[in-house]
Amino acid sequence: MRKPWCVGMVLAAVLLGACGDPASGPQAAPPPEAPRASATTQQRAPASPSAAGRAPSAPGAAPTVLYLGDSLAMEAQQVVGRELRRAVRAEYTSAPYSGTTLCDYLEGTGERSLVPTADKAAALVRRLRPDFVVLQFWGNAWGYTPCMDGITHDASPRRYFDRYAADMRRLADQIAAAGDARIVWVLQGPDPLTPDRVRRVNALYDEHAAEAGDLVADAGKAVSAAGARYSWVQYLPCTAYEREHAGYCTQPGRDRTALHRDDDYLHFCLAPTTSKPKPCPVRSPGILRIAQEITRVVRQNP
């Protein structure tokens, strides 16, 4: 049963100190001696040839996919990789950092970023030469990363959206300058506290993709009720896949499955949150739905 919104606000405050990204304090960047992308990568792809020597992918060849993002990507990274390998034999690298937003992956942000220099989007594109860069960002609205300069949605929605749009264009430009990858912008699911914020962030992704020729994966629709794209729900009817695979239809007697835990309205991992962000360790229908939509877009755009 959904809690009253006054309880929801208290819950949000608790989440801010308990897990990753918009619902938690940021993950600290690894210390200098720690490996960079390898520390945050699940099923990392082998290093690709340099930009000068890389030939275009042959038709039907397995694509190379780079997956970046915040805590939603952190929890989903293993499932996204599994689905991409299963569907298109993808060479796959993920380097998500909880607590981040678009500006964290920009080169030139230095110590004001939660992402180390080696894992900036453009740096990874130059090194790995991916065919696709999948970007999944909820749209950090509460100012937990220094690169947002204290701009928050609550304090100034207009400044927040202007800054978000500017960072989106800069990040896309840096990725384009670094290689030939196609960007896949992942649209987010409903936010129960500020539903219009997610609607507008998704609109920015859509508009930029249309102008730049990028791709859009509407993963948020896959975790929304039919006909109610921006109305938050904790449960949805089970899909045929979920009914056929144990653990994915969490309430088979009611033919419905859980997208969120009772104590976390944002994340889709059905395991308890931890102080150290990590990939989700249990079967979680929301994560699978998101991964399947990302995979569908990559598969249909060879």
Side-chain angles (χ1 to χ4, degrees):
M1 180 179 297
R2 292 178 60 179
K3 312 292 191 299
W5 287 125
C6 60
V7 176
M9 293 300 291
V10 174
L11 172 60
V14 173
L15 288 172
L16 288 174
C19 58
D21 183 53
S24 78
Q27 176 191 15
E33 67 274 16
R36 296 304 189 184
S38 59
T40 58
T41 296
Q42 305 300 318
Q43 303 297 332
R44 180 179 176 180
S48 302
S50 65
R54 181 178 186 264
S57 298
T64 299
V65 181
L66 174 62
Y67 181 47
L68 307 177
D70 53 26
S71 65
L72 297 180
M74 173 66 76
E75 67 180 5
Q77 60 184 307
Q78 289 183 339
V79 180
V80 171
R82 183 193 72 201
E83 294 300 308
L84 285 167
R85 291 191 298 274
R86 176 184 297 168
V88 295
R89 299 178 292 113
E91 296 183 25
Y92 173 75
T93 301
S94 59
Y97 283 82
S98 293
T100 58
T101 191
L102 297 175
C103 60
D104 287 289
Y105 281 88
L106 286 169
E107 292 191 313
T109 48
E111 294 180 356
R112 296 171 54 252
S113 168
L114 302 180
V115 175
T117 300
D119 284 356
K120 299 296 189 183
L124 290 173
V125 169
R126 284 191 294 269
R127 185 160 78 247
L128 300 172
R129 310 308 298 168
D131 300 298
F132 296 91
V133 178
V134 180
L135 301 174
Q136 181 164 7
F137 291 92
W138 178 87
N140 191 319
W142 294 322
Y144 286 97
T145 174
C147 67
M148 282 295 289
D149 299 317
I151 297 172
T152 65
H153 178 264
D154 286 348
S156 178
R158 181 172 181 176
R159 289 185 68 205
Y160 167 80
F161 290 118
D162 287 347
R163 174 60 183 275
Y164 203 81
D167 288 342
M168 181 180 60
R169 289 190 294 268
R170 288 182 61 199
L171 185 60
D173 287 346
Q174 288 188 2
I175 291 172
D180 299 321
R182 297 193 72 181
I183 295 176
V184 180
W185 298 95
V186 180
L187 305 190
Q188 301 308 305
D191 177 351
L193 300 183
T194 54
D196 188 59
R197 185 198 63 79
V198 168
R199 187 195 306 270
R200 292 185 62 181
V201 166
N202 284 347
L204 291 175
Y205 293 150
D206 264 328
E207 292 166 7
H208 180 81
E211 293 172 359
D214 295 341
L215 301 171
V216 170
D218 194 356
K221 183 177 181 180
V223 291
S224 302
R229 175 63 176 81
Y230 288 99
S231 296
W232 185 90
V233 291
Q234 185 174 2
Y235 299 93
L236 283 178
C238 296
T239 64
Y241 182 96
E242 290 161 357
R243 296 185 194 102
E244 294 168 2
H245 293 78
Y248 282 115
C249 186
T250 62
Q251 297 184 4
R254 304 177 69 178
D255 193 35
R256 72 177 193 175
T257 196
L259 301 179
H260 306 278
R261 290 172 53 85
D262 291 341
D263 58 357
D264 189 341
Y265 71 84
L266 172 62
H267 297 93
F268 294 93
C269 183
L270 297 184
T273 55
T274 60
S275 59
K276 183 178 181 180
K278 63 182 181 180
C280 185
V282 301
R283 289 188 171 188
S284 298
I287 289 176
L288 178 63
R289 292 181 183 212
I290 289 168
Q292 288 176 334
E293 174 60 14
I294 291 170
T295 299
R296 183 193 68 80
V297 171
V298 172
R299 184 179 64 244
Q300 293 184 356
N301 291 276

